[in-house]
């Protein structure tokens, strides 16, 4: 699966990073960067948690 970010929606609070720190991080400007866009296995579980926790639904998972 692939993590997709709707960047205009993202407010940069970083809850997704807390849920999946190995997959994404906020840079020094508060922009979210997806470090591992293609996920499977344990990474997929973390990615799903990040999607769930985003308060503005800026993240989604799509078939890779
Ligand atoms: S939780 Fe949502 S709004 Fe916050 S940084 Fe992540 S994608 Fe952006």
């Amino acid at each position: 699966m692939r993590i997709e970010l709707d960047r205009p929606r993202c407010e940069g609070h970083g809850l997704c990073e807390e849920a999946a720190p190995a997959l994404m991080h906020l840079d020094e400007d508060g922009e979210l960067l997806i470090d591992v866009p293609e996920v499977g296995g344990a990474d997929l579980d973390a990615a799903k948690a990040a999607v769930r926790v985003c308060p503005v639904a800026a993240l989604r998972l799509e078939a890779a």
Side-chain angles (χ1 to χ4, degrees), residues 5 9-16 26 32 53-56 58-59:
L5 171 64
R9 230 178 230 268
C10 176
E11 295 177 348
H13 300 303
L15 297 175
C16 56
L26 289 171
L32 183 68
V53 80
C54 178
V56 295
L59 291 171

Side-chain angles (χ1 to χ4, degrees), residues 15-62:
L15 297 175
C16 56
E17 181 181 6
E18 288 179 24
L23 305 181
M24 58 195 71
H25 74 280
L26 289 171
D27 71 9
E28 57 275 12
D29 298 321
E31 289 276 303
L32 183 68
L33 301 176
I34 309 292
D35 302 304
V36 184
E38 301 283 344
V39 290
D43 282 349
L44 180 55
D45 290 341
K48 285 178 177 172
V51 168
R52 266 199 309 274
V53 80
C54 178
V56 295
L59 291 171
R60 67 181 191 279
L61 281 165
E62 293 202 338

